[in-house]
Amino acid sequence: MTNTQAVQSLFRPFTLGKLSLSNRTVMAPMTRQKSPNGVPGSDVAAYYRRRAENGVGLIITEGTVINDADSSNQKDVPFFYGEEALNGWANVVSEVHDAGGKIAPQIWHMGARGNVNEYTEEEIAHIVQEFANSAASAKRLGFDGIELHGAHGYLIDQFFWAKTNQRTDRYGGSLIARTTFAAEVVKACREAVGPDFPIILRISQWKGIDYSAKLVETAEELKQFLEPLVNAGVDIFHCSTRRFWEPEFEGSDLNFAGWVKQLTGKPTITVGSVGLEGDVTTFFSAGSGSGNASLDGLIPKLENQEFDLVAIGRALLADPAWVSKIRDGRVEELIPFSPQSVQTLY
């Protein structure tokens, strides 16, 4: 495992406008289904507080759904609308801030219909407005930014992907046209929160139903895809991959986050089995856990400024103190990811 001196770059401060983080670590959003009737309780606040107390630079919450009939198809996923749910989130913010942390909700629509061709333009306008309403609520509650979930085959990503977007109007067709919905969501959220409130957009090539899927095949296509999103007002791109160490395109060692930063000049978050021995999806299919992996492959990329922030998912789910243990060199105390550790330490 990496020694304390070697990981110093992970613990440099990060500042973007009014967002100031004590270090480069990010808690990746992870669905938990622990909010009965969509309302996050005191246990949810305690869950996030534990990570803040242990030095996570920025917490991105589990996905929270907007006020739309199709937004959720899973039980006990938290809402980001309605007085009771928003009061619960206000308590989460208070606990995290009291512990010295920073936090952003991930705002989500699952796209329950399976594709986007059935939506009328009026329905799309309603969904865009509900994203904006949730963004405004996040700012009002005192969150430090928002993340829009535009990855993994959910609604925004269904508009991005040619296989799920066969529309013939302005929302479909070319790669650039397929970014129209996302750009409208980002613009509406920007109008709702003002110019200085951070907007993060999570994107991915892979989908939950197809790990080999590609939105783009080349760096030039990626540039075309990203430009409308930058123009709409994205501040940070959260670039989801299954394995952070894999190059995105042939002929370059840059991973997905590295390419997005190079093409846009915007800060990026890398993610994908950080701190785990291998690919996290393998652990679920095999029903097993993972040992703690060295960060040696990650740190040089961060030091070379290929990306700006590092999201940790399952390793931080299993061990709330993962960040502080890495910072202090207490690697022998790390709790490995396993179904048992997750149930114990949620």
Side-chain angles (χ1 to χ4, degrees):
M1 197 72 185
T2 312
N3 62 42
T4 305
Q5 185 175 2
V7 299
Q8 286 181 350
S9 59
L10 197 57
F11 294 94
R12 289 185 287 111
F14 172 83
T15 301
L16 179 69
K18 294 184 177 180
L19 178 66
S20 294
L21 308 180
S22 61
N23 62 58
R24 304 304 179 104
T25 64
V26 175
M27 181 177 184
M30 290 171 285
T31 297
R32 301 171 62 239
Q33 295 180 266
K34 297 287 186 178
S35 297
N37 301 312
V39 178
S42 58
D43 58 326
V44 175
Y47 163 81
Y48 288 116
R49 182 184 177 112
R50 282 194 293 274
R51 276 74 185 174
E53 287 173 335
N54 280 284
V56 174
L58 174 65
I59 292 169
I60 301 177
T61 74
E62 62 210 282
T64 70
V65 296
I66 65 169
N67 188 11
D68 182 71
D70 284 343
S71 67
S72 177
N73 57 20
Q74 295 182 21
K75 184 183 179 187
D76 296 336
V77 165
F79 300 162
F80 211 83
Y81 62 90
E83 183 178 2
E84 192 174 3
L86 292 178
N87 285 342
W89 284 117
N91 185 45
V92 172
V93 173
S94 177
E95 290 291 328
V96 168
H97 284 172
D98 185 63
K102 300 290 178 70
I103 185 167
Q106 185 188 71
I107 300 176
W108 191 23
H109 189 301
M110 297 185 193
R113 296 189 190 184
N115 65 64
V116 301
N117 301 319
E118 297 175 33
Y119 286 112
T120 66
E121 292 215 9
E122 290 75 18
E123 287 173 318
I124 290 172
H126 163 74
I127 292 169
V128 169
Q129 184 58 51
E130 290 301 332
F131 270 105
N133 291 346
S134 290
S137 294
K139 184 177 182 180
R140 176 174 57 81
L141 294 176
F143 280 90
D144 300 290
I146 60 167
E147 174 169 288
L148 301 171
H149 198 341
H152 306 169
Y154 296 114
L155 182 64
I156 293 175
D157 198 25
Q158 288 176 346
F159 275 89
F160 287 152
W161 196 27
K163 287 190 178 180
T164 46
N165 183 353
Q166 315 249 320
R167 297 179 69 102
T168 57
D169 60 3
R170 64 194 181 91
Y171 292 101
S174 70
L175 175 63
I176 293 174
R178 296 196 306 273
T179 68
T180 300
F181 173 70
E184 289 185 356
V185 169
V186 174
K187 287 177 183 176
C189 290
R190 176 58 69 207
E191 290 175 3
V193 301
D196 300 323
F197 194 73
I199 296 177
I200 305 166
L201 178 64
R202 195 173 216 209
I203 57 174
S204 70
Q205 295 259 47
W206 66 273
K207 318 298 166 201
I209 59 171
D210 185 354
Y211 288 131
S212 64
K214 297 282 188 183
L215 288 177
V216 299
E217 297 287 347
T218 66
E220 180 56 37
E221 288 182 345
L222 181 59
K223 182 179 180 180
Q224 294 173 21
F225 168 76
L226 293 167
E227 187 171 354
L229 306 174
V230 171
N231 292 340
V234 174
D235 294 303
I236 301 172
F237 286 96
H238 189 174
C239 305
S240 180
T241 59
R242 296 168 67 202
R243 310 173 183 99
F244 77 85
W245 56 87
E246 290 188 342
E248 189 60 36
F249 303 117
E250 290 186 10
S252 169
D253 291 333
L254 290 177
N255 70 2
F256 191 32
W259 271 108
V260 172
K261 181 177 181 178
Q262 179 171 290
L263 292 170
T264 65
K266 294 290 185 180
T268 59
I269 306 171
T270 196
V271 69
S273 301
V274 174
L276 303 179
E277 289 182 332
D279 179 349
V280 67
T281 56
T282 305
F283 312 141
F284 286 109
S285 62
S288 62
S290 166
N292 299 309
S294 169
L295 301 181
D296 290 349
L298 176 76
I299 298 303
K301 289 180 172 291
L302 183 60
E303 289 177 342
N304 290 338
Q305 300 181 38
E306 293 181 21
F307 40 76
D308 302 271
L309 299 163
V310 176
I312 303 101
R314 297 317 190 279
L316 190 53
L317 186 65
D319 192 341
W322 189 92
V323 170
S324 61
K325 289 175 182 178
I326 292 293
R327 180 193 63 211
D328 300 338
R330 296 183 289 127
V331 295
E332 71 283 351
E333 299 177 23
L334 289 169
I335 300 170
F337 168 77
S338 69
Q340 293 76 23
S341 67
V342 167
Q343 288 301 318
T344 302
L345 294 167
Y346 244 24

